Amino acid sequence: MSVFVSAVLRNPGAVGAVAPSSAELGAVLASVVPTSGTPTVVELGAGTGAVTTQVAQRLPARGQHLAVEIDPVLAAHLRHTHPGVTVIDGDAAELSALLTAEGVRRVDAVVSGLPWSLFDEAGQRRILTQVAQALAPHGAFSTFAYRHAALLSGAVRFRALLHEVFDEVVVSRTVWRNLPPAHVYVCRRPRDLGAA
């Protein structure tokens, strides 16, 4: 049994996907990762590491890649398959505390594979606020949504929250080579939202 299928069976409400992200979707998500200097990049909901690989391919040799994963089995899998990544067992809703524990104050990019439509409004807002507070002024945040679910209430609410939290929200073209097809949100310039 694959690591992904095992995770779905163990906790279907936390995975929120029918298959790991494709390389094509991962490449669009990872497009916010700086390719020079010494950037720090955080990946939320790294899962089996499909997007982790794309982030690692873009990240400069002196960059830092932190992956936050709530499922301990998936976190252990990531440590084994991506030894160059700092894997953090934890909840993205506690991002500020997790980064502080790693000695990280600000990050250059946040790449998310979280199943936003499964979270209630309070959960969505808390994580997005934590992301906004973690980003450096020049930083960017990327995440995705499935095309077929665009009209569901959780997805509509999430889009509205993105525009509330970020000054700039750009939507990619549909990535058809993903199961299911998806599009990516690239967000910049977090608004001043106060403490989470």
Side-chain angles (χ1 to χ4, degrees), residues 2 4-5 8 15-22 25 48 50 113 144 146 178-180:
S2 76
F4 177 82
V5 172
V8 171
V15 176
V18 296
S21 297
S22 68
L25 179 60
T48 60
F144 73 95
Y146 294 126
N178 191 72
L179 183 64

Side-chain angles (χ1 to χ4, degrees), residues 92-116:
E94 305 298 331
L95 182 60
S96 295
L98 296 174
L99 293 179
T100 297
E102 294 293 327
V104 174
R105 187 168 177 273
R106 286 282 186 270
V107 302
D108 301 286
V110 177
V111 177
S112 171
L114 295 175
W116 296 102

Side-chain angles (χ1 to χ4, degrees), residues 33-60:
V33 174
T35 56
S36 62
T38 58
T40 297
V41 177
V42 174
E43 184 182 356
L44 303 178
T48 60
V51 178
T52 308
T53 299
Q54 301 293 322
V55 171
Q57 288 176 355
R58 282 185 60 91
L59 195 66

